[in-house]
Amino acid sequence: MKKYNVCIVGGGSTYTLGFLKSFARMQEEFPLNKLVLFDIDGERQKPIGQYGEIMFKERYPELDFSYTTDPAEAYKDMDFIFMQMRAGGLH
């Protein structure tokens, strides 16, 4: 079965944790080769990315997981791009 490359746009959202857990749980139904989180706010994304690093090391060690603020890196060679964005950062 083909393994997919997936990017999650809005990777700094706390809702991203649900995506990550689902991907770990659905390894047989939706196998991944690469998963990249992308967000324009690196500081917000960092703890989510670190959580993913730990979880995937334990539950999906063959997955190529990363997070970035660089759109060129995030979108390169992707099969699917999930977008979860909302207007935010307003005072």
Side-chain angles (χ1 to χ4, degrees):
M1 178 180 259
K2 177 177 171 52
K3 290 187 173 187
Y4 298 100
N5 293 335
V6 174
C7 175
I8 300 176
V9 178
S13 168
T14 55
Y15 292 109
T16 301
L17 299 173
F19 272 113
L20 302 184
K21 291 176 188 176
S22 294
F23 284 130
R25 189 174 54 246
M26 306 271 306
Q27 292 177 45
E28 290 186 30
E29 296 88 348
F30 192 72
L32 298 179
N33 175 58
K34 182 177 185 177
L35 176 61
V36 178
L37 304 183
F38 169 70
D39 203 295
I40 59 172
D41 187 338
E43 287 303 309
R44 182 175 165 92
Q45 181 174 240
K46 186 176 178 181
I48 306 298
Q50 290 173 332
Y51 171 88
E53 288 174 332
I54 294 166
M55 184 188 69
F56 290 129
K57 183 177 180 181
E58 295 174 359
R59 297 182 59 196
Y60 207 160
E62 68 276 13
L63 177 63
D64 178 4
F65 174 75
S66 63
Y67 54 99
T68 184
T69 57
D70 178 359
E73 180 183 340
Y75 299 144
K76 184 175 183 193
D77 299 325
M78 290 296 138
D79 296 303
F80 295 98
I81 298 174
F82 290 93
M83 300 190 74
Q84 58 160 7
M85 299 182 304
R86 66 170 180 79
L90 302 175
H91 296 284

